[in-house]
Amino acid sequence: MLKKLINLIVLPLIAFTSISIVQAAEVGKLDEADIAVSSRANDVKSNALKEALAAVFLKNSGSPSVVLNPLIKAQIDEPEVILTQYGYFEQNGELMLKANFDHQRVIETLRQAGLPVWGSQRPLTLLWLSVDENSEPTILADASLSDIRDDLSQQSANKGIPVMLPVMDLDDVMGVTVNDVRGRFTDTVFIASARYQSDYFAIANIENQGSRVTFSISLFNKVRTNGVLQPLVAQQGEASDNQQAVKRMMSILADYYISQYAIASTGSNAATEVSFSGLSNMRQVVNIEAYLRQLSAVKSISLSQFKGSTATYSIALFSNVDDLQRLLNIDNRLSQIDTMGSVESFYQQQTETVQPKLMYQWLGQ
């Protein structure tokens, strides 16, 4: 069923004209998938709908093994139950079926199966990638028209991982050379990455050595630990071609991000309060509430206080406050305020877990 290439998310590499406005990305279209079909025959449509629903479960959980779960498999075998609409269109001369499903039912099924849910708010990665172009090593730029860039864009879409490439303008060219990337001179790349509003940066290399293609990738947080940059992930290997190398590298990134941001229910009654300061109108309060509701760690929310320029929300969690904090910290509209280790909770029953209160300044509209 999953042998065809699934177009999971229409999400190209993020292009930009002003570096300062780029933020962590909110991935859309999590309830739909486009599937290539040979005809509009009923049996073809039936199989395509199953494939489309499998794709939707994949991109809402992140883990490829999600389709092996008995509860998920049973739902995939009856896609019409949660199908909201479908239609046909042509793309590059190929007939495609677009299917949309009840997103809430998809999430509820994942929760019932005890599987992780990966919300729409996902970290943005700045990728410094050296490649062999015209037999010369170069740093892949945002404006590149190479096949590798197309492959990267496709894998970014398939994995639901927002990725940006450096613009390689004068500042970048003066700051980072291809030897810095290939030699993994992390301090140099770290400095050059500061101007980009990404959550992480990665240093990667694809090298053609005769019939062999080798690759390596190292992922870094943009914060030093004790003055040292330590890779969160560092892997290397061989691939059959450039396309396979890109796919392998994006899978490595996906595995790390899923481990950090895809949230499974622990069955606990953990809860906390989160306050947002810097508010000047009710529209911001509404926007914050909508933002909180789509976070995969959040079970339910209620506005407990709105005083002055600060709104405080009581939040019940699927897992724990650390998971919620990781999600909040990848949004550039938020700036965390140190609470000095205070421990508060809006739930005080013995069966529930007391969690520290979080405070943020809201920088959005």
Side-chain angles (χ1 to χ4, degrees), residues 63-224:
S63 173
S65 63
V66 67
V67 297
L68 302 178
N69 180 277
L71 191 61
I72 302 301
K73 288 175 66 177
Q75 185 65 81
I76 290 173
D77 286 338
E78 298 183 350
E80 293 85 356
V81 174
I82 59 174
L83 179 69
T84 57
Q85 65 179 9
Y86 76 93
Y88 296 92
F89 67 98
E90 285 195 8
Q91 179 175 284
N92 299 325
E94 189 172 28
L95 183 64
M96 306 289 293
L97 179 142
K98 179 185 290 292
N100 293 77
F101 300 91
D102 185 329
H103 188 249
Q104 189 60 39
R105 292 280 295 275
V106 169
I107 300 303
E108 288 174 357
T109 305
L110 288 170
R111 292 294 187 197
Q112 290 171 9
L115 294 169
V117 173
W118 196 7
S120 60
Q121 195 72 22
R122 303 189 178 186
L124 177 59
T125 305
L126 171 64
L127 181 61
W128 298 88
L129 173 60
S130 68
V131 298
D132 291 328
E133 262 190 7
N134 300 320
S135 301
E136 290 291 332
T138 187
I139 298 174
L140 194 66
D142 178 68
S144 172
L145 300 177
S146 71
D147 290 340
I148 291 181
R149 191 196 188 286
D150 291 340
D151 293 337
L152 188 60
S153 181
Q154 181 64 49
Q155 287 302 313
S156 172
N158 287 352
K159 301 292 185 184
I161 300 176
V163 173
M164 65 157 65
L165 292 169
V167 293
M168 296 312 296
D169 57 5
L170 183 60
D171 287 339
D172 285 341
V173 171
M174 295 294 291
V176 180
T177 69
V178 69
N179 289 331
D180 292 326
V181 175
R182 294 210 158 178
R184 286 194 286 257
F185 292 107
T186 54
D187 284 340
T188 300
V189 179
F190 171 79
I191 293 171
S193 299
R195 65 195 292 242
Y196 293 91
Q197 298 287 325
S198 63
D199 303 290
Y200 297 84
F201 73 91
I203 302 174
N205 174 52
I206 296 177
E207 190 171 355
N208 299 101
Q209 300 176 345
S211 60
R212 298 170 58 242
V213 175
T214 61
F215 70 88
S216 65
I217 184 166
S218 300
L219 179 67
F220 298 86
N221 196 310
K222 293 179 72 176
V223 178
R224 292 179 183 271

Side-chain angles (χ1 to χ4, degrees), residues 285-306:
V285 177
V286 172
N287 289 343
I288 290 174
E289 183 169 334
Y291 162 73
L292 290 173
R293 289 191 184 281
Q294 58 83 39
L295 294 178
S296 56
V298 173
K299 184 184 298 183
S300 63
I301 70 169
S302 63
L303 180 63
S304 59
Q305 186 180 63
F306 186 26

Side-chain angles (χ1 to χ4, degrees), residues 14-31:
I14 296 176
F16 51 90
T17 56
S18 176
I19 293 170
S20 62
I21 65 172
V22 177
Q23 297 182 348
E26 183 170 341
V27 178
K29 301 184 179 181
L30 291 174
D31 63 344

Side-chain angles (χ1 to χ4, degrees), residues 31-46:
D31 63 344
E32 71 176 47
D34 299 339
I35 304 298
V37 293
S38 59
S39 72
R40 303 190 185 205
N42 286 335
D43 60 334
V44 176
K45 180 193 76 173
S46 178

Side-chain angles (χ1 to χ4, degrees), residues 222-334:
K222 293 179 72 176
V223 178
R224 292 179 183 271
T225 302
N226 298 324
V228 179
L229 277 171
Q230 294 289 349
L232 302 167
V233 177
Q235 292 191 34
Q236 59 186 4
E238 293 188 11
S240 57
D241 53 30
N242 290 340
Q243 186 178 53
Q244 186 66 21
V246 170
K247 186 175 182 179
R248 292 275 302 279
M249 290 193 303
M250 292 299 289
S251 292
I252 291 167
L253 294 182
D255 288 344
Y256 175 78
Y257 290 141
I258 291 165
S259 73
Q260 296 296 304
Y261 300 110
I263 310 298
S265 177
T266 61
S268 67
N269 294 313
T272 190
E273 287 187 338
V274 183
S275 294
F276 298 89
S277 64
L279 307 180
S280 59
N281 55 67
M282 283 302 298
R283 184 180 67 176
Q284 292 173 316
V285 177
V286 172
N287 289 343
I288 290 174
E289 183 169 334
Y291 162 73
L292 290 173
R293 289 191 184 281
Q294 58 83 39
L295 294 178
S296 56
V298 173
K299 184 184 298 183
S300 63
I301 70 169
S302 63
L303 180 63
S304 59
Q305 186 180 63
F306 186 26
K307 184 176 181 181
S309 62
T310 301
T312 300
Y313 292 87
S314 299
I315 302 180
L317 302 170
F318 281 109
S319 51
N320 56 59
V321 73
D322 290 336
D323 289 332
L324 174 64
Q325 192 169 3
R326 277 199 300 273
L327 295 174
L328 294 173
N329 286 347
I330 64 172
D331 196 311
N332 288 340
R333 294 172 298 180
L334 300 175

